[in-house]
Amino acid sequence: MTTAIDPVLLARLSGEFTAMGAQMGDLGRDLEVLRAQVAAGVAEAQPFSGQRASTARPLPGSAPIQAESPQTESESSKAESATPTSDPMRPETQGAATETQAAEVGAQAATPGAQPRIPQPPQKFATEQIRQQPQQPQQQRQQARASTAAPRHGAVGMQAYGPRPAQPPFGWSGAQQGAWAPVPPMGAPHMPPGMRPPRPVRKPAGTPWWQREGVISRLLAVAGVGVTLVGVVMLLVLAAQAGIFGPVPRVLAGVVFSAALVAVGMRVFGRAGGHVGGIALAATGFAGAYLDVVAVTSIYEWLPRVGGLALALAIAAGGVALALRWNAQALAVLVVSGAALLAPIVTSELVLLGFLIVLQLTCVPVQLVKDWPALHVVRTLPAVLATLLYVAIAGFDSAQRDRVHWVLVAAIVVALIGLVGTLLVVRKRPGDLIATVAFAISTIPLLAVAGLFDRGPSMIIAGATAVVLTAVATLAMIPKLRAASKIPAHTGIAAAVAGAFALLEVCVQATRVQTAPIALFLVAIGYLGVAGQQRNRVAAGIGGAFALLGALTFVSRVDPETLATQRLAEQYLDLPTALAAVLGVAVLAVAVWGLRRTPTLTNDDTGRSMLLIFAGASGLYAVTAATVSLGIATGATDGFLIGHSAATILWMGAATAALLYGLRNLSGSAAVAKVALGSGLLLTAAALAKLFLFDLATLDGLVRVAAFLVVGVLLLLAGTRYARAFAEAGTRDAQSR
């Protein structure tokens, strides 16, 4: 090993140091020129009179200001009057001063043997400049101020408004001695009175999207991914159909090509500007490898389906793992979407559902770590859409009925992955609404596949789905259970709505036309009861929807014409109709009780009145249907007439009860009494109208006599109690006076 020093290296180092010294010399001269210019700008701001400088309060951290003598002040005033005022706005004056200072600095720097002057920091305040230059004549200081004054708006403005007075230092307010106030910095252009500042130059409108940074590169990258994957599909499918190459070369070419893309992408990603290209190359490689596995499993059948799904799971897991490492949502989205969109081109067999479900399952762990909303959508939609497509094919094509069970399995797996994955995500990130939307979408195939089976299996599928989803909704809606389960409200709402659809399927499958209102009213009572107990608007909305469906189904069978015509009533009305009518009255009672507990109706008299009027009218219709149906169900010859007579009596009984209730509350709640009395009077009028317009013409014999007698007695009772109540109220008023 030699220890000699390379002379070439020494020569090169010597040259580099020489060049560095020359550059430092130039830098020192430039800094000296800058210092001289700054010092000249500071000198401009010093006050004219020595009296102002002497009375100014010293600034913090500065030395006491040396006040000028009265003699100096008088001499300076004489010099100012004798010296003609120079125009500081002339560019030649200012340029001459600057060139003179630069020439002096350059001459000093070029003098041989002279010590270079170290640049001093610029002075902050004019007081220090005054103290450091006490020997400078006043006339020279005035000329320096005139030569270095900051330009205004041209010489014309200077001649019109006269010479510019000296400015106080920055931060020093001349309005009050010793006070600090923000003033314009030294050298700022002076704005004469009446002049407006120049308008700022407007920048052009927003940059077109094709000129924005990264937009074109991303579009080209996505297009490149799509085109390359289409080429991979052509290699695997079209080449096989055309007989180009053999199966082994095609598969090996796809594997080598995909691996090369992933390797190049990993190498490019770490370089400058390689973020987009690396993601695009890696995504293309992983998606191409996934499609290669789909082809090997479904077309060439070299792997069993379980083995092919396991290998596809490993490839997809590698792609999302690399996305996690790079923190690139785009990589995961491109891998999943590319494989999912092109996999149906490779194969249309039922195994396609398995490969799409693998993509949905692979991304669940990623969602636990990263908040990537786009990944929720691309991992869920392909599996859901493909399952729905197979459900539709199995429903319309009888040859595909043997695959219904596999479609059911796929729908169950998609729903379970959506439910479990969403619960895990929202427990960690309660505000993730996209996860809840993905969960709601994943339940659609399971709700649709139940229609492919007979009544019994369909009820089991829909019932199990309803139980699971309702349980999740219960955990999210009851406060104590929500605090324990940590399931947010939006997930509970989605589960409740999906569970309600499943429960509706159960009601439809388990009932006939006659009994459908019974099932719907029972479900409505349950939801409305929970809504009243928990004051939950979601449960109230679902209960109201079931009540509305039950009412529409009921009225479609028991319309007013059927109730008024004996022939139609005896043909369509039976015991289930009576039971449905009774349940309808129960639904109205529970709805009124629950809605009265909500704050919007508790203090709103108008809303309460409208609610009671609607409930009363609906209740009258349901009571009439119930009594007529029961009369016909007894099998009596006059069952239809007996039912209508009982309905009239019940109408009048309800009116009497409402009047008595209102009279009892006259001394208490005036609003409640008003509503009760109004409802009672309206119901009395309705009962009398039915009695004279319908019963008198339809009923006969003892049935009509009984109706008139009972209604008359109830009217007498109500009138007597009404008169006594108001008489007692008048007596109390007289005694109080």
Side-chain angles (χ1 to χ4, degrees):
M1 178 179 179
T2 178
T3 58
I5 299 177
D6 188 3
V8 178
L9 177 61
L10 290 177
R12 186 168 63 250
L13 290 175
S14 177
E16 292 176 353
F17 277 110
T18 303
M20 186 182 300
Q23 293 177 358
M24 293 299 292
D26 295 339
L27 178 60
R29 288 190 293 272
D30 293 340
L31 289 175
E32 183 62 24
V33 173
L34 178 62
R35 187 202 67 80
Q37 294 177 358
V38 172
V42 172
E44 173 199 0
Q46 64 185 4
F48 280 113
S49 62
Q51 181 181 0
R52 180 175 179 181
S54 62
T55 58
R57 181 178 300 177
L59 298 177
S62 63
I65 301 176
Q66 301 294 334
E68 297 182 0
S69 61
Q71 182 179 0
T72 306
E73 181 181 358
S74 60
E75 293 177 358
S76 62
S77 62
K78 294 179 181 179
E80 290 177 358
S81 61
T83 305
T85 304
S86 60
D87 191 354
M89 293 304 301
R90 295 178 181 176
E92 60 271 12
T93 305
Q94 185 177 4
T98 306
E99 293 176 0
T100 303
Q101 295 169 359
E104 293 177 357
V105 173
Q108 181 180 2
T111 303
Q115 297 294 332
R117 186 167 58 180
I118 301 176
Q120 300 295 329
Q123 305 299 327
K124 296 183 178 179
F125 305 103
T127 55
E128 297 183 6
Q129 183 72 16
I130 296 172
R131 182 175 56 83
Q132 293 178 3
Q133 300 177 1
Q135 305 299 329
Q136 185 179 10
Q138 182 69 18
Q139 184 176 0
Q140 296 181 5
R141 291 202 301 270
Q142 182 180 359
Q143 293 177 357
R145 286 197 302 270
S147 61
T148 58
R152 299 184 186 178
H153 294 282
V156 177
M158 185 63 189
Q159 295 172 2
Y161 294 97
R164 176 184 175 185
Q167 298 292 333
F170 178 72
W172 183 265
S173 176
Q176 182 180 0
Q177 292 185 357
W180 287 88
V183 296
M186 294 177 297
H190 177 70
M191 183 65 60
M195 292 189 64
R196 296 182 179 179
R199 295 182 179 180
V201 180
R202 294 184 178 180
K203 296 182 179 181
T207 307
W209 64 270
W210 63 85
Q211 295 182 4
R212 296 176 186 173
E213 182 180 0
V215 173
I216 297 299
S217 61
R218 291 185 178 91
L219 292 177
L220 293 177
V222 173
V225 171
V227 172
T228 307
L229 290 179
V230 170
V232 173
V233 172
M234 291 181 178
L235 176 65
L236 297 174
V237 178
L238 299 182
Q241 296 176 356
I244 303 174
F245 302 111
V248 176
R250 286 194 294 268
V251 173
L252 290 179
V255 171
V256 172
F257 185 67
S258 300
L261 288 176
V262 173
V264 174
M266 295 178 66
R267 184 175 181 85
V268 169
F269 185 83
R271 296 183 178 181
H275 185 82
V276 176
I279 290 176
L281 291 171
T284 308
F286 280 109
Y290 196 91
L291 296 175
D292 205 6
V293 174
V294 174
V296 168
T297 306
S298 60
I299 297 178
Y300 305 117
E301 297 183 353
W302 294 350
L303 291 175
R305 294 188 174 182
V306 176
L309 293 176
L311 183 57
L313 178 63
I315 293 174
V320 296
L322 185 60
L324 281 176
R325 180 181 176 184
W326 289 354
N327 193 22
Q329 179 182 193
L331 176 58
V333 170
L334 288 175
V335 170
V336 175
S337 59
L341 290 176
L342 295 177
I345 301 177
V346 178
T347 180
S348 59
E349 297 294 328
L350 197 59
V351 71
L352 173 64
L353 294 179
F355 285 104
L356 297 179
I357 291 172
V358 164
L359 293 175
Q360 182 191 13
L361 178 62
T362 306
C363 299
V364 172
V366 181
Q367 300 293 159
L368 299 178
V369 181
K370 296 292 184 181
D371 185 11
W372 290 348
L375 192 58
H376 278 304
V377 179
V378 299
R379 74 179 177 87
T380 305
L381 273 182
V384 169
L385 294 178
T387 307
L388 288 176
L389 179 61
Y390 277 98
V391 169
I393 292 175
F396 291 100
D397 189 0
S398 58
Q400 302 290 334
R401 298 291 296 179
D402 56 339
R403 300 185 176 185
V404 170
H405 295 88
W406 288 110
V407 176
L408 173 62
V409 172
I412 293 174
V413 174
V414 169
L416 284 178
I417 293 175
L419 174 61
V420 175
T422 299
L423 291 181
L424 293 176
V425 170
V426 297
R427 281 169 57 88
K428 188 174 182 180
R429 292 191 303 273
D432 197 342
L433 295 176
I434 304 300
T436 298
V437 173
F439 154 63
I441 294 174
S442 66
T443 60
I444 297 176
L446 187 56
L447 297 175
V449 77
L452 298 178
F453 294 87
D454 296 333
R455 183 181 298 271
S458 177
M459 288 178 54
I460 295 175
I461 296 170
T465 305
V467 169
V468 174
L469 295 177
T470 305
V472 175
T474 304
L475 292 175
M477 292 184 179
I478 298 178
K480 293 183 179 179
L481 297 179
R482 181 169 63 245
S485 61
K486 298 180 181 179
I487 300 177
H490 54 83
T491 304
I493 293 173
V497 173
F501 278 105
L503 199 56
L504 179 62
E505 286 187 348
V506 174
C507 294
V508 172
Q509 294 291 338
T511 58
R512 303 291 182 182
V513 178
Q514 299 86 345
T515 57
I518 298 176
L520 294 173
F521 283 148
L522 286 174
V523 176
I525 291 173
Y527 275 104
L528 292 175
V530 172
Q533 181 66 29
Q534 300 293 328
R535 298 184 179 181
N536 190 289
R537 297 181 182 272
V538 178
I542 296 175
F546 273 94
L548 180 61
L549 290 176
L552 293 176
T553 307
F554 180 79
V555 173
S556 65
R557 184 172 178 82
V558 187
D559 54 2
E561 184 181 1
T562 303
L563 286 178
T565 307
Q566 184 173 0
R567 179 182 58 84
L568 296 177
E570 292 176 351
Q571 181 179 358
Y572 293 107
L573 302 185
D574 50 11
L575 189 59
T577 306
L579 181 58
V582 173
L583 289 176
V585 175
V587 167
L588 291 172
V590 175
V592 171
W593 169 76
L595 293 177
R596 281 172 61 89
R597 289 172 56 87
T598 59
T600 55
L601 291 176
T602 302
N603 300 322
D604 187 4
D605 295 337
T606 303
R608 184 185 308 173
S609 302
M610 296 299 297
L611 174 64
L612 292 178
I613 292 173
F614 175 77
S618 302
L620 290 179
Y621 191 89
V623 166
T624 304
T627 54
V628 174
S629 299
L630 286 175
I632 294 175
T634 58
T637 305
D638 297 332
F640 175 78
L641 302 178
I642 294 173
H644 271 288
S645 176
T648 305
I649 294 172
L650 288 177
W651 283 26
M652 192 61 213
T656 305
L659 290 173
L660 295 178
Y661 180 78
L663 294 173
R664 184 181 302 176
N665 288 273
L666 279 177
S667 58
S669 176
V672 174
K674 180 181 178 181
V675 173
L677 291 175
S679 301
L681 292 176
L682 289 175
L683 192 53
T684 301
L688 291 176
K690 183 178 184 299
L691 182 65
F692 285 97
L693 297 178
F694 181 81
D695 295 348
L696 185 62
T698 305
L699 304 182
D700 58 357
L702 294 177
V703 177
R704 181 168 54 187
V705 173
F708 273 83
L709 289 177
V710 174
V711 171
V713 170
L714 292 176
L715 284 172
L716 291 174
L717 176 62
T720 303
R721 183 68 183 88
Y722 204 92
R724 188 175 68 181
F726 279 91
E728 293 175 353
T731 303
R732 287 194 300 269
D733 293 340
Q735 292 177 355
S736 63
R737 294 177 183 176

